[in-house]
Amino acid sequence: MSVWLPTAPCTPDACVEPAPAVVAATRAVLRLAAVAVLVLAGIALSPLGRRIPAEWIGRWCRAVVRAIGVRASITGAVAPDGGLLLVANHVSWLDIPLLTAVRPARMLGKTEIRRWPVAGALAARGGTLFIERDRLRALPGTVAVIADALRTGSAVAAFPEGSTWCGRAHGRFHRAVFQAALDAGVPVQPVCLRYRLKDGGTGTAAAFVGEDTLLASLWRVARTRGLVAEVQVRPLIPPDTHPDRRALATAAQPITPAPTWAHAALANDRG
């Protein structure tokens, strides 16, 4: 394990509950087809890069989320321009279009994503900053690359937990990425992501954890009825307000992490 590669105790069997209400399989297939059309359209337009207005990118991301049957509720305002480190807790692959809907940003992603079919090409064309999570020696260079991107006025989005959690429990923000914000002298924008069902209870259908496959996760989300993604943009943390990356990471943590033993107890209760 490294500072880039922490582990979460969440697994599909222990954490992901069956949706209390599902849509017909035919409707789920139509949802996935709509998502596929939107993703292919995004790939076709991706060579235009920064010439695509940010508003259009945000609308496309919201359309992807809505196409698979998830309603997004976004509250709060993000800094509209300038260098910015956008950080959020990590639950699902849905987090990526949701964060991009808040403000288009260069995502921080693992190098393995580059090899994914379709998604890898889209991520690379979108300016994703790929990191080698299992090489500690690469850490200083990676921090420097992120800081350089921030200095140019770009927004960089990261999930400092380093791993996806189920939404019932949350990990602690790791400090490494915050050093880039300190070095570049840019603010940090924390975002809190939560997935709930129509009745208000926490929904785990969106969780993409453990050995879960992307295909299985896509199908589960497409079948779930009434899934809502709540995106809460928290107050901006200006530069030079915290002395070091540890304090900055603590201040940016949008949700209090759950102790590992508490999460294990929850899993045992479900079992």
Side-chain angles (χ1 to χ4, degrees), residues 214-226:
L214 181 58
L215 184 60
S217 179
L218 283 164
W219 181 248
R220 186 170 58 245
V221 173
R223 287 296 311 270
T224 302
R225 185 189 299 275

Side-chain angles (χ1 to χ4, degrees), residues 149-226:
L150 293 169
R151 290 190 189 99
T152 65
S154 296
V156 174
F159 300 105
E161 287 170 312
S163 181
T164 50
W165 291 66
C166 65
R168 292 179 179 275
H170 305 275
R172 187 172 302 280
F173 275 9
H174 293 263
R175 305 185 298 270
V177 71
F178 294 94
Q179 186 61 51
L182 292 174
D183 293 346
V186 301
V188 174
Q189 185 85 68
V191 177
C192 178
L193 299 172
R194 176 178 178 250
Y195 296 89
R196 65 173 176 82
L197 300 172
K198 202 170 184 178
D199 63 4
T202 298
T204 57
F208 184 41
V209 293
E211 67 277 13
D212 209 0
T213 66
L214 181 58
L215 184 60
S217 179
L218 283 164
W219 181 248
R220 186 170 58 245
V221 173
R223 287 296 311 270
T224 302
R225 185 189 299 275

Side-chain angles (χ1 to χ4, degrees), residues 225-269:
R225 185 189 299 275
L227 190 60
V228 180
E230 293 184 341
V231 184
Q232 183 184 15
V233 182
R234 306 294 293 273
L236 190 74
I237 302 176
D240 303 324
T241 55
H242 292 83
D244 54 42
R245 61 188 182 184
R246 181 189 296 272
L248 185 56
T250 300
Q253 182 91 42
I255 303 176
T256 302
T260 301
W261 63 264
H263 185 271
L266 176 63
N268 289 333
D269 289 343

Side-chain angles (χ1 to χ4, degrees), residues 34-122:
V35 170
V37 169
L38 286 167
V39 169
L40 290 174
I43 292 174
L45 294 173
S46 61
L48 296 176
R50 295 189 179 184
R51 287 176 289 176
I52 302 176
E55 183 180 355
W56 292 11
I57 296 174
R59 288 180 179 177
W60 177 82
C61 288
R62 287 189 289 272
V64 169
V65 173
R66 188 57 186 158
I68 204 165
V70 178
R71 183 171 66 84
S73 172
I74 301 176
T75 58
V78 71
D81 50 36
L84 177 73
L85 181 63
L86 195 64
V87 296
N89 57 299
H90 203 7
V91 179
S92 171
W93 52 268
L94 280 164
D95 302 344
I96 297 172
L98 287 169
L99 267 191
T100 308
V102 169
R103 178 177 168 182
R106 300 185 67 179
M107 301 299 302
L108 193 64
K110 57 186 180 181
T111 54
E112 295 91 328
I113 293 176
R114 194 194 295 266
R115 298 191 294 270
W116 288 4
V118 183
L122 188 58

